[in-house]
């Protein structure tokens, strides 16, 4: 059996920075994107950036494919038929650039985690844990740094 590393929360700083960190900016962007989702069960948003956090490479939210009805195909959890936000963002971000950083409002499922690994994502920040933590385990096994990012959520509002 493969050992899985424990996921650590983002380290707390002694004092809040003078201005909003880019990590918090991108996480809030992911949360805002999730509001465009048409998924009835869980709205999720994703932002993918360059390793130095200076450029957005792709954005996404979960929903049906372009041109199809803006609703879930099914009400069964896990079988709604929607593309996941991570999939939509990865399609736009491409796979060639190494070291990409992903910000997602809810942690990835296993399939999205595998896609992120193959698309050269090296760090994933997530705000809320998805109901199944197996995606986080998959990311860690694939050498991706995983950070539960909830540090500055209530500041700069």
């Amino acid at each position: 059996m493969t050992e899985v590393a424990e996921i650590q929360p983002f380290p707390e700083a002694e004092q809040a920075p003078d201005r909003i960190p880019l990590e918090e900016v991108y996480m809030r962007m992911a949360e805002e994107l999730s509001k465009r989702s048409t998924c009835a069960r869980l709205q999720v948003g994703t932002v993918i950036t360059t390793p130095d956090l200076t450029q957005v490479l792709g954005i996404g939210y979960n929903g049906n494919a372009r041109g199809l009805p803006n609703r879930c195909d099914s009400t069964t959890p896990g079988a709604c038929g929607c593309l996941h936000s991570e999939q939509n963002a990865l399609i736009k971000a491409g796979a060639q650039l190494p070291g990409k950083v992903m910000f997602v409002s809810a942690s990835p499922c296993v399939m999205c985690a595998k896609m992120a690994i193959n698309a050269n994502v090296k760090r994933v920040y997530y705000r809320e844990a998805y109901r199944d933590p197996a995606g986080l385990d998959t990311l860690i096994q694939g050498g991706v740094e995983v950070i539960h990012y909830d540090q500055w959520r209530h500041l700069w509002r």
Side-chain angles (χ1 to χ4, degrees):
M1 186 163 126
T2 306
E3 244 184 81
V4 177
E6 184 179 331
I7 296 162
Q8 298 296 322
F10 196 76
E12 288 290 332
E14 292 179 18
Q15 181 177 344
D18 292 335
R19 61 186 182 154
I20 189 169
L22 284 174
E23 291 87 351
E24 184 63 24
V25 170
Y26 292 131
M27 185 59 72
R28 289 182 188 190
M29 285 175 65
E31 290 172 328
E32 289 301 309
L33 285 164
S34 75
K35 295 174 184 176
R36 289 191 50 83
S37 169
T38 57
C39 183
R41 192 181 56 79
L42 180 64
Q43 295 177 308
V44 181
T46 299
V47 175
I48 299 175
T49 71
T50 55
D52 62 1
L53 307 181
T54 61
Q55 297 178 54
V56 173
L57 301 173
I59 62 170
Y61 49 89
N62 52 334
N64 221 333
R66 181 177 47 233
L68 298 181
N70 283 328
R71 59 177 162 69
C72 297
D73 296 338
S74 165
T75 58
T76 305
C80 75
C82 289
L83 290 169
H84 291 191
S85 70
E86 302 93 327
Q87 293 168 322
N88 277 322
L90 286 165
I91 288 166
K92 296 167 190 152
Q96 293 73 26
L97 181 68
K100 288 189 282 296
V101 180
M102 178 184 283
F103 295 85
V104 62
S105 58
S107 59
C109 71
V110 170
M111 289 307 294
C112 287
K114 289 178 179 181
M115 289 178 66
I117 292 166
N118 280 359
N120 289 311
V121 170
K122 288 301 174 197
R123 182 179 304 134
V124 172
Y125 291 87
Y126 70 97
R127 188 75 98 189
E128 304 291 338
Y130 181 58
R131 62 183 160 87
D132 180 1
L136 296 173
D137 296 340
T138 300
L139 287 169
I140 292 167
Q141 291 170 9
V144 176
E145 182 182 2
V146 175
I147 299 168
H148 180 207
Y149 187 78
D150 200 22
Q151 187 172 10
W152 311 115
R153 186 179 211 165
H154 303 294
L155 298 177
W156 301 287
R157 293 277 178 192

